[in-house]
Amino acid sequence: MGSLSAFKERLQYPRARRDESIVEDYHGVTVADPYRWLEDPEAEEVKDFVEKQVNLSDSVLKTCETKEKLHEKITKLIDHPRYDTPFKRGNSYFYFHNTGLQAQSVLYIQDDLDSEAEVLLDPNTLSDDGTVSLNSLAISEDGKYMAYGLCSSGSDWVTIKVMKIEDKTVEPDTLSWVKFSGITWTHDGEGFFYSRYPAPQEGEKIDAGTETNSNLYHELYYHFLGTDQSDDVLCWRDQVNPKHMFGSKVTDDGKYLIMTTEEGCDPVNKVYHCDLSSLPKGLQGFRGSKSLLPFVKLIDTFEAQYIAIANDETLFTFFTNKDAPKYKLVRVDLKEPNTWTDVIPEHEKDVLSTACVVKGNQLVVSYMSDVKHILQIRDLKSGSLLHTLPVDIGSVGGVFARRKDTTFFFRFTSFLTPVVIYKCDLSNEAPQVTVFREIDVPGFDRTAFQVTQVFYPSKDGTKIPMFIVARKEIELDGSHPCLLYAYGGFSASMTPFFSATRIVLSRHLGAVFCFANIRGGGEYGEEWHKAGALANKQNCFDDFIAGAEYLVSAGYTQPRKLCIEGSSNGGILIGACINQRPDLFGCALAHVGVMDMLRFHKFTIGHAWTSEFGCSDKEEEFQWLLKYSPLHNVKRPWEQKTDKFVQYPSTMLLTADHDDRVVPLHTFKLLATMQYELGLSLENSPQTNPIIARIEVKAGHGAGRPTQKIIDEAADRYGFMAKMVNATWLD
């Protein structure tokens, strides 16, 4: 049973004040919120709460015997040279490289693929502890300048700097309060477009990354090189729709600025265009002016997603899901904006994932077929298939191609294949695909493992794909520790990838690790996504629970040896599933989860997720959310009518102090609630499985985290898992 305790003694949880006076009326339903005070990260009482919880989790982790061994083995396996896909800008090549244990990967430049590479930007020199990371970069068309975004402690806030590439000097240009922004240069090299939020009001004290206030009134700006940010040209804002967010892209010919507008996280956007070549005085004419750029509306509704792929003068090709939940390519002439034609129609079964132009009039397109990638070369004008490239079963990413080039690079990985970077040469009739770089992981023997993809039925009969990775020829006798992971939201697809950490778990703990491609993701297009969103969110939990039941019935594991894990939207998944089926799991790891589904929209960028979850301000949507909100559904399982004793699985909630995407208050409130309901509220609670939190400092939602912090956290959470599921160490 999942509820057998790994701990003999009950933990002594720190008492957290309950304010019983906080009760909110939602459409006639009263909901108590006794830990609302935990929403203020600056309050001394909250800091005290955090300190006591850190001390508690430290005391538990000290008893996890395998933690240090895991730390050593993970460090050893991660310590190998890693490379990203090279990309060409100007006449130079650029790529990221990490020697193994460097906190952040380093950006290199080389004149050609055979010349010696030089360090262009090493983020490790920007902080003592590796917590300043490179968030984004864009190189000017002539290759002379690089604009790059830096973030600190994993926060979503970005500061843009500019470097002169020739002598690597950092220019004085400094752009602040940038968030959810790309960087796109005009082809004259005079400056670039970027997006930002208004600066805080004078006197507002703010540690960027720890605040919780909503991000509103996004704006699109143009920055001229060598000028102060206060002189930047305001290109677009929308005071009527404060939640709208703006992205920008200058077309390959340098003529058009394409602006996209989003209001949530759904794959839908508006598209406006501005002919930069038609501005009488260019962008200079807007300096000091209060006029916004003269954008022309092409798509002015939030009905579908449109991403510009290429253009020949006014003839544009877009990647879209308009009337095509599995996506397609379409074409429109800006002179006839109401006439659209299909270039590559929607596929009957496979999802069109990406498309970009190379060699003038050829397309590199990738499809996803049952969560595995296919790579093709097609004709841009007709969309017809020219070549299918040889790709193993796994994931293709990092496709860097330019229309002016005849070669491009792409990255391949799978559960048992560390990254392989391929070069594809299209200068002859038949494409030549060669291995450009292969990442070697010393000590890893792929022949010792096997990967199986199964399709199991969910509660409503829907077939759900799941990858199972295990050591070869294991006996299906239910004896193995098992780690089940899923995401299931925001149309994000979870395709195979190599993880040194999980290989360590398989080799040294005998763990089977599994990835369930539950509904809510994008693995089968927008219909699959919508089947796990809004009123259908329960499908995600049903799919995941059915996956766990499959692993038990097939003999891979048993409930007390089954650990479940998820992050962000996947953190909700874990929180909901331990509430709904505490008997099915032995351990749960919930990272940076959205746990208060009634109030998430009030903090930072949470308002953008109402397109995925709904919003408690609306009565019908409130009813959906209340049914599964992790914070509001913690119940004592031993008080439910069952024929066996059940308690919650051993649970670790993970968050970070600078997570300004899913703010830490979600974890804090759920932690306090679980510890109270399952422990502190009873004199002799039968809940002996520990409920703890791991609270990281100087870190955020996950991006930009230094290597050492990644290793430390992995050893902690999997050391906890190993003890809780009683895994035996194997040398």
Side-chain angles (χ1 to χ4, degrees):
M1 278 175 19
S3 57
L4 288 176
S5 180
F7 258 47
K8 300 280 189 294
E9 292 177 27
R10 199 176 294 106
L11 280 186
Q12 296 300 307
Y13 296 115
R15 287 205 171 268
R17 175 173 66 87
R18 286 176 63 81
D19 184 347
E20 306 290 357
S21 70
I22 306 289
V23 178
E24 198 145 344
D25 185 311
Y26 291 91
H27 318 286
V29 178
T30 55
V31 179
D33 195 4
Y35 298 114
R36 188 168 292 182
W37 59 271
L38 282 168
E39 292 179 355
D40 179 5
E42 298 306 314
E44 287 306 317
E45 193 177 13
V46 175
K47 291 175 182 174
D48 180 60
F49 171 86
V50 169
E51 187 182 340
K52 285 174 178 168
Q53 295 294 345
V54 168
N55 292 340
L56 176 70
S57 56
D58 284 350
S59 72
V60 172
L61 289 169
K62 277 179 187 150
T63 70
C64 300
E65 301 84 0
T66 60
K67 187 178 81 133
E68 296 308 322
K69 289 182 187 172
L70 281 171
H71 196 284
E72 180 195 337
K73 296 293 184 186
I74 292 169
T75 302
K76 193 173 177 185
L77 206 60
I78 281 180
D79 189 7
H80 61 269
R82 298 185 294 285
Y83 294 86
D84 271 354
T85 319
F87 56 97
K88 195 174 185 183
R89 294 291 181 269
N91 295 315
S92 302
Y93 288 91
F94 301 82
Y95 66 89
F96 285 96
H97 170 51
N98 193 308
T99 55
L101 295 175
Q102 286 176 288
Q104 304 287 343
S105 293
V106 177
L107 180 63
Y108 287 80
I109 182 173
Q110 56 188 155
D111 293 335
D112 58 63
L113 295 173
D114 299 316
S115 65
E116 194 174 336
E118 295 177 11
V119 172
L120 181 61
L121 178 62
D122 182 357
N124 300 297
T125 63
L126 303 177
S127 65
D128 293 334
D129 56 4
T131 56
V132 172
S133 62
L134 189 56
N135 164 281
S136 53
L137 67 90
I139 289 152
S140 61
E141 190 68 15
D142 57 13
K144 288 183 178 175
Y145 288 94
M146 174 174 73
Y148 57 98
L150 300 174
C151 62
S152 296
S153 303
S155 165
D156 280 333
W157 288 111
V158 172
T159 301
I160 296 177
K161 305 284 288 179
V162 176
M163 177 185 285
K164 190 175 181 185
I165 290 174
E166 188 179 19
D167 57 9
K168 303 184 182 65
T169 54
V170 178
E171 302 291 312
D173 307 54
T174 301
L175 312 182
S176 303
W177 302 109
V178 179
K179 204 181 217 189
F180 311 129
S181 172
I183 303 171
T184 183
W185 288 82
T186 46
H187 283 214
D188 57 13
E190 286 194 9
F192 51 85
F193 296 95
Y194 71 99
S195 309
R196 57 166 290 188
Y197 285 101
Q201 297 297 311
E202 200 71 44
E204 250 187 275
K205 237 185 98 186
I206 193 161
D207 170 13
T210 62
E211 79 290 349
T212 61
N213 45 304
S214 273
N215 300 138
L216 300 170
Y217 299 105
H218 212 222
E219 298 167 330
L220 178 66
Y221 278 90
Y222 184 79
H223 173 74
F224 282 96
L225 277 187
T227 65
D228 191 81
Q229 186 176 15
S230 59
D231 297 325
D232 288 356
V233 172
L234 175 62
C235 303
W236 195 256
R237 65 155 46 130
D238 187 342
Q239 297 295 91
V240 178
N241 296 292
K243 295 175 183 177
H244 284 187
M245 293 182 286
F246 308 107
S248 59
K249 179 184 176 183
V250 173
T251 52
D252 277 350
D253 59 7
K255 189 174 179 185
Y256 291 95
L257 174 66
I258 302 294
M259 182 180 72
T260 55
T261 304
E262 297 174 347
E263 79 175 335
C265 289
D266 254 8
V268 296
N269 59 273
K270 296 182 179 184
V271 179
Y272 294 2
H273 58 88
C274 175
D275 183 349
L276 297 172
S277 66
S278 71
L279 303 177
K281 296 178 184 173
L283 288 163
Q284 289 280 2
F286 288 85
R287 294 181 77 165
S289 160
K290 292 196 174 168
S291 300
L292 302 176
L293 291 192
F295 280 103
V296 177
K297 297 173 181 179
L298 178 63
I299 303 289
D300 200 28
T301 60
F302 291 116
E303 281 181 26
Q305 183 177 51
Y306 295 87
I307 299 171
I309 300 297
N311 75 298
D312 290 291
E313 294 296 330
T314 56
L315 197 62
F316 272 75
T317 304
F318 282 92
F319 173 91
T320 185
N321 55 16
K322 169 74 171 166
D323 302 324
K326 292 183 180 67
Y327 292 83
K328 62 182 179 179
L329 289 193
V330 294
R331 188 161 291 142
V332 66
D333 193 321
L334 300 184
K335 294 172 186 165
E336 298 176 41
N338 297 318
T339 306
W340 295 73
T341 55
D342 286 0
V343 180
I344 302 179
E346 179 187 28
H347 193 277
E348 184 185 337
K349 176 176 171 289
D350 299 340
V351 181
L352 181 62
S353 300
T354 60
C356 54
V357 185
V358 68
K359 197 188 173 185
N361 286 312
Q362 292 188 8
L363 285 162
V364 187
V365 302
S366 70
Y367 279 94
M368 190 159 36
S369 177
D370 281 334
V371 206
K372 302 172 288 280
H373 279 125
I374 296 165
L375 200 58
Q376 299 176 341
I377 305 296
R378 288 180 174 261
D379 180 72
L380 173 62
K381 286 194 165 64
S382 67
S384 58
L385 176 65
L386 302 176
H387 308 280
T388 298
L389 301 182
V391 173
D392 207 349
I393 293 173
S395 305
V396 170
V399 179
F400 283 115
R402 294 195 304 178
R403 195 166 186 175
K404 61 175 86 168
D405 297 333
T406 56
T407 61
F408 70 92
F409 297 88
F410 65 92
R411 183 179 71 244
F412 174 83
T413 183
S414 72
F415 291 118
L416 301 181
T417 307
V419 172
V420 182
I421 296 167
Y422 290 97
K423 179 185 177 188
C424 182
D425 188 344
L426 297 172
S427 45
N428 300 315
E429 191 174 331
Q432 282 185 295
V433 179
T434 52
V435 174
F436 177 69
R437 271 195 187 109
E438 191 161 5
I439 308 302
D440 179 50
V441 180
F444 168 61
D445 174 15
R446 66 173 294 165
T447 64
F449 304 90
Q450 65 184 29
V451 180
T452 311
Q453 188 183 30
V454 299
F455 295 83
Y456 64 85
S458 187
K459 185 178 180 179
D460 62 2
T462 303
K463 287 282 197 280
I464 310 297
M466 175 164 62
F467 290 103
I468 301 171
V469 186
R471 300 208 302 181
K472 269 192 183 159
E473 294 163 16
I474 62 166
E475 280 189 61
L476 297 181
D477 58 4
S479 66
H480 311 285
C482 185
L483 179 65
L484 173 60
Y485 189 98
Y487 183 76
F490 294 94
S491 200
S493 302
M494 210 171 56
T495 59
F497 68 99
F498 182 80
S499 163
T501 299
R502 293 199 169 106
I503 292 297
V504 168
L505 300 184
S506 200
R507 185 195 286 171
H508 294 290
L509 296 177
V512 176
F513 59 92
C514 314
F515 292 83
N517 297 104
I518 62 177
R519 284 173 284 185
E523 287 86 350
Y524 293 97
E526 261 309 278
E527 288 167 346
W528 193 254
H529 168 220
K530 293 295 186 201
L534 299 170
N536 299 321
K537 189 67 180 168
Q538 182 60 38
N539 284 339
C540 303
F541 316 137
D542 291 342
D543 292 356
F544 192 67
I545 287 165
E549 290 175 328
Y550 172 86
L551 292 168
V552 172
S553 64
Y556 283 100
T557 191
Q558 53 189 285
R560 68 186 178 86
K561 287 195 162 287
L562 175 56
C563 176
I564 55 172
E565 183 174 23
S567 183
S568 193
N569 171 77
I572 307 174
L573 175 73
I574 303 306
C577 287
I578 59 175
N579 283 337
Q580 293 181 17
R581 285 296 304 276
D583 60 304
L584 190 53
F585 318 111
C587 183
L589 306 172
H591 302 242
V592 294
V594 187
M595 302 306 192
D596 184 345
M597 298 307 297
L598 302 187
R599 286 175 60 78
F600 71 86
H601 58 291
K602 296 178 182 291
F603 309 107
T604 63
I605 197 61
H607 57 75
W609 315 329
T610 56
S611 58
E612 183 78 8
F613 304 132
C615 180
S616 61
D617 293 346
K618 297 177 181 172
E619 185 171 1
E620 184 191 6
E621 298 178 7
F622 161 73
Q623 295 294 344
W624 309 338
L625 294 164
L626 186 63
K627 277 179 187 159
Y628 72 82
S629 175
L631 179 64
H632 301 95
N633 287 279
V634 178
K635 299 182 187 76
R636 297 170 189 149
W638 54 86
E639 293 178 357
Q640 314 305 309
K641 288 178 182 169
T642 58
D643 57 356
K644 59 187 179 182
F645 169 70
V646 177
Q647 61 170 314
Y648 268 68
S650 302
T651 301
M652 178 186 277
L653 307 177
L654 298 94
T655 189
D657 64 345
H658 279 71
D659 187 348
D660 48 4
R661 186 87 54 86
V662 180
V663 285
L665 64 89
H666 285 280
T667 292
F668 297 167
K669 288 171 75 174
L670 179 61
L671 179 67
T673 300
M674 289 180 74
Q675 289 179 349
Y676 176 78
E677 289 293 337
L678 306 173
L680 290 164
S681 58
L682 298 169
E683 197 168 329
N684 286 304
S685 170
Q687 174 74 34
T688 53
N689 285 337
I691 311 290
I692 62 169
R694 187 186 188 281
I695 303 164
E696 182 67 87
V697 293
K698 291 192 79 174
H701 198 59
R705 193 166 289 196
T707 303
Q708 193 57 59
K709 279 187 185 290
I710 292 169
I711 295 170
D712 292 348
E713 189 198 86
D716 281 359
R717 72 180 191 266
Y718 293 133
F720 177 77
M721 175 194 86
K723 184 171 182 74
M724 300 308 140
V725 303
N726 198 23
T728 308
W729 184 264
L730 309 168
D731 277 319

